[in-house]
Amino acid sequence: MDDNTLKGGANSLLGKTEGAAGDALGDTQMQARGAVTELKGKAQQALGSAQEALGQAADQAKATIADVTDQAKDAYQRASATAQSVVEKVDPFVKESPYLALSLTAAAGVVIGMLLAGRGPKVIYVKPAP
């Protein structure tokens, strides 16, 4: 529990007690001081509650960031392992047949380029027969 919450509760209780004593004695100044002290206590208590809520939110944000960081590390490690596996399979092929590997790579580049370039609208003009 936050220090402001405890002090605020104590001040609020003190203000109520002082106000009740002022009522019992008929002292309006004591009643007013009690009301002011009670109000200050309630404000301090609200501040303490807000600080507690912010602290909890910060702790939750830290935990979420730690979880996301762990997930990102795991994803990176999986991607790295997959890439390493591909390298282990492709590297011997490239070393044995470098020209064939280069030709396949160029063909794949041309196919990918044609697929990406062919996305726009196609217009076909038809000439009427004479």
Side-chain angles (χ1 to χ4, degrees), residues 71-89:
Q71 289 174 0
K73 285 180 184 178
D74 290 343
Y76 173 76
Q77 289 173 351
R78 285 192 307 268
S80 178
T82 303
Q84 187 63 33
S85 172
V86 169
V87 166
E88 289 171 0
K89 291 177 184 175

Side-chain angles (χ1 to χ4, degrees), residues 1-2 9 12-13 21 24 27-28 33 38 43 45-46 48 55 58 70-71 75 78 80 93 99 104 117 128-129:
M1 192 173 257
D2 188 56
S12 180
L13 183 62
D27 188 354
T28 56
R33 279 195 314 266
E38 183 179 355
Q45 203 170 10
D70 290 343
Q71 289 174 0
R78 285 192 307 268
S80 178
F93 173 74
Y99 295 115
L104 289 174

Side-chain angles (χ1 to χ4, degrees), residues 10 22 35 37 40 56 71 104 108:
T37 304
K40 283 181 181 178
Q56 290 172 354
Q71 289 174 0
L104 289 174

Side-chain angles (χ1 to χ4, degrees), residues 59-111:
D59 291 343
Q60 187 176 7
K62 286 178 187 177
T64 302
I65 289 171
D67 288 344
V68 169
T69 302
D70 290 343
Q71 289 174 0
K73 285 180 184 178
D74 290 343
Y76 173 76
Q77 289 173 351
R78 285 192 307 268
S80 178
T82 303
Q84 187 63 33
S85 172
V86 169
V87 166
E88 289 171 0
K89 291 177 184 175
V90 172
D91 192 44
F93 173 74
V94 171
K95 286 182 180 178
E96 289 174 12
S97 308
Y99 295 115
L100 180 59
L102 183 63
S103 300
L104 289 174
T105 304
V110 168
V111 169

